[in-house]
């Protein structure tokens, strides 16, 4: 790609011809005005670099501001945790002068669709990519894309990193199982989260490991989709004569459904069965009875995720910040086994 007259500086019209668009489009893309396909933007910026086009000082300042953007791979959900994470990410990004470009994906959808969304960010002019949907499909999609910019996968700090950097165990699940064991519970039932989610897989793994270590068979009552309705359906399968004295639910919203199902069956909480969840959603303290759970500061986790990615962008050799510690919040839904 060369200019018709190499002795003169490249113009915006040269860039337009080289990238196959109008000079108005080149101008708008360089000023970050309007929405254009990633491949169009990429052609323009490649032409700018190859031709050595130098806009005026004002345009250069706008180009610099364009680079202060972070691509976020997220998903739409009823879970308040997601909005809190994104709020935390946005607070840190905004303070550091970055803007967010959010791409919503179905985290358990087709890997090809997730990969396409990631490729669109990879081809854009964002400075880095933050993935907030840790699922098996998102991980596979991340491995497929050859990124040309820093990438950070947010795990909310609820997992212990193992070999190859893959999180494999849930800190929060360990706290719940420790709590129930300290209360004397041995026959602990479990309601799992949906397949494909790292958090669901890791919480179930800890449950099974602790039951095996205690010489007990796991009692998986069902698998939900994080919703209260799915927890309600799973708990209805509980046999009152099973001897289960406690139920560990993979998240608080499913635990809400569990409490309702047990009440309808005449099973008292915690006198007959203790119930514990994870997340400490704002409503957990107002369940009937108030729910024992593990507090996760999702907003601060979003802060950490954003600081981590910005660190990879601006100071790649600096250590990554630590996630906030999890803590068990004991409430009236659990009690010592009599």
């Amino acid at each position: 790609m060369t200019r018709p007259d190499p002795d003169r500086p490249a113009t915006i019209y040269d860039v337009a011809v080289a990238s196959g668009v109008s000079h108005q489009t080149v101008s708008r893309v360089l000023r970050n005005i309007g929405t254009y396909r990633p491949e169009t933007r990429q052609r323009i910026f490649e032409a700018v670099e190859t031709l050595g086009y130098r806009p005026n000082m004002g345009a250069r300042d706008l180009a610099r501001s364009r680079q202060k953007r972070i691509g976020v791979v997220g998903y739409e959900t009823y879970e308040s945790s997601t909005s809190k994470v994104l709020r935390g990410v946005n607070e840190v990004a905004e303070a550091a002068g970055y803007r967010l470009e959010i791409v919503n994906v179905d985290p358990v959808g087709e890997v090809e669709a997730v990969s396409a969304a990631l490729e669109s960010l990879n081809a854009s002019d964002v400075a880095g990519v933050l993935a907030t949907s840790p699922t098996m499909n998102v991980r596979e999609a991340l491995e497929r894309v050859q990124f040309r910019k820093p990438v950070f996968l947010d795990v909310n700090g609820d997992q212990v990193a193992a070999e190859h950097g893959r999180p494999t165990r849930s800190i929060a699940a360990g706290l719940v199982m420790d709590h129930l064991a300290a209360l004397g519970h041995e026959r602990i039932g479990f309601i799992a989260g949906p397949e494909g989610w790292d958090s669901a897989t890791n919480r179930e793994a800890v449950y099974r490991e602790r039951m095996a270590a205690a010489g007990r068979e796991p009692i998986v009552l069902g698998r939900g989709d994080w919703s209260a309705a799915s927890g309600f359906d799973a708990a209805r399968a509980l046999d009152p004569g099973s001897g289960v004295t406690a139920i560990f639910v993979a998240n608080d919203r499913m635990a809400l459904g569990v409490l309702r199902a047990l009440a309808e069956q005449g099973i008292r909480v915690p006198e007959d069965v203790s119930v514990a969840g994870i997340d400490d959603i704002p409503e957990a303290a107002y369940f009937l009875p108030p729910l024992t759970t593990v507090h996760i500061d999702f907003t601060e986790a979003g802060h950490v995720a954003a600081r981590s990615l910005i660190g990879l962008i601006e100071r790649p050799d600096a250590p990554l910040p630590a996630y906030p510690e999890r803590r068990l919040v004991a409430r009236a839904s659990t009690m010592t086994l009599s």
Side-chain angles (χ1 to χ4, degrees), residues 6 75 90-91 109 145 152 175 182 235 244 265 272:
Y75 61 99
N90 187 63
E91 287 173 354
V145 179
F152 184 78
L175 293 174
V244 168
Q265 296 176 69
D272 299 325

Side-chain angles (χ1 to χ4, degrees), residues 146-307:
Q146 295 184 348
F147 285 96
R148 299 183 293 275
K149 56 200 68 181
V151 179
F152 184 78
L153 177 62
D154 174 39
V155 296
N156 292 332
D158 186 31
Q159 296 155 350
V160 178
E163 294 182 1
H164 309 299
R166 286 179 176 271
T168 59
R169 293 296 178 267
S170 166
I171 298 170
L175 293 174
V176 172
M177 292 300 288
D178 286 344
H179 173 70
L180 295 176
L183 295 177
H185 296 282
E186 296 181 346
R187 291 189 59 78
I188 303 171
F190 182 67
I191 295 179
E195 293 182 346
W197 287 84
D198 285 1
S199 54
T201 299
N202 297 333
R203 290 169 189 180
E204 183 174 354
V206 169
Y207 165 76
R208 290 181 178 276
E209 286 180 357
R210 295 298 180 88
M211 292 295 282
R216 298 285 180 177
E217 286 293 322
I219 308 170
V220 179
L221 302 174
R223 184 176 301 279
D225 61 6
W226 299 132
S227 70
S230 66
F232 177 84
D233 291 339
R236 293 179 69 184
L238 176 65
D239 178 4
S242 65
V244 168
T245 63
I247 301 176
F248 170 20
V249 191
N251 83 329
D252 288 355
R253 292 194 184 279
M254 290 196 298
L256 173 59
V258 169
L259 293 176
R260 169 70 182 273
L262 295 179
E264 289 190 358
Q265 296 176 69
I267 300 173
R268 299 171 302 167
V269 177
E271 292 84 358
D272 299 325
V273 176
S274 289
V275 176
I278 290 178
D279 285 347
D280 195 21
I281 62 176
E283 300 84 357
Y286 301 95
F287 289 177
L288 190 63
L291 182 68
T292 291
T293 184
V294 175
H295 180 75
I296 299 177
D297 189 337
F298 289 103
T299 301
E300 179 59 25
H303 291 166
V304 171
R307 292 188 190 109

Side-chain angles (χ1 to χ4, degrees), residues 27-33 41 45 48 53-70 93 96-99 125-128 313-314:
S27 175
R28 290 175 63 83
V29 167
L30 293 182
R31 288 183 291 151
N32 199 30
I33 298 174
R41 298 172 64 87
F45 288 119
V48 167
Y53 172 64
R54 295 292 178 267
N56 60 30
M57 183 63 72
R60 281 202 299 271
D61 290 341
L62 286 167
R64 290 193 188 98
S65 67
R66 185 190 62 244
Q67 297 298 332
K68 300 280 282 187
R69 294 164 57 238
I70 291 174
Y98 287 84
R99 293 187 296 112
D125 59 350
V126 296
I313 294 169
E314 299 180 352

Side-chain angles (χ1 to χ4, degrees), residues 20-189:
V21 298
S22 68
H23 73 276
Q24 293 95 334
T25 296
V26 173
S27 175
R28 290 175 63 83
V29 167
L30 293 182
R31 288 183 291 151
N32 199 30
I33 298 174
T35 302
Y36 295 91
R37 294 191 303 175
E39 52 267 32
T40 300
R41 298 172 64 87
Q42 184 176 14
R43 287 203 313 272
I44 291 173
F45 288 119
E46 287 179 349
V48 167
E49 182 176 354
T50 302
L51 295 174
Y53 172 64
R54 295 292 178 267
N56 60 30
M57 183 63 72
R60 281 202 299 271
D61 290 341
L62 286 167
R64 290 193 188 98
S65 67
R66 185 190 62 244
Q67 297 298 332
K68 300 280 282 187
R69 294 164 57 238
I70 291 174
V72 179
V73 180
Y75 61 99
E76 295 180 357
T77 177
Y78 51 80
E79 288 282 2
S80 62
S81 59
T82 304
S83 61
K84 289 181 179 180
V85 169
L86 289 178
R87 184 190 312 152
V89 170
N90 187 63
E91 287 173 354
V92 170
E94 189 176 63
Y98 287 84
R99 293 187 296 112
L100 302 186
E101 181 171 318
I102 301 175
V103 175
N104 283 309
V105 300
D106 179 354
V108 292
E110 295 293 333
V111 176
E112 289 73 17
V114 180
S115 297
L118 291 170
E119 285 285 11
S120 70
L121 287 176
N122 193 32
S124 70
D125 59 350
V126 296
V129 175
L130 172 63
T132 64
S133 312
T135 65
M136 179 177 63
N137 288 1
V138 169
R139 287 184 178 281
E140 183 176 340
L142 286 169
E143 291 175 357
R144 288 188 182 187
V145 179
Q146 295 184 348
F147 285 96
R148 299 183 293 275
K149 56 200 68 181
V151 179
F152 184 78
L153 177 62
D154 174 39
V155 296
N156 292 332
D158 186 31
Q159 296 155 350
V160 178
E163 294 182 1
H164 309 299
R166 286 179 176 271
T168 59
R169 293 296 178 267
S170 166
I171 298 170
L175 293 174
V176 172
M177 292 300 288
D178 286 344
H179 173 70
L180 295 176
L183 295 177
H185 296 282
E186 296 181 346
R187 291 189 59 78
I188 303 171

Side-chain angles (χ1 to χ4, degrees), residues 295-297 323-327:
H295 180 75
I296 299 177
D297 189 337
Y323 279 98
E325 290 187 5
R326 273 56 182 129
R327 58 182 175 84

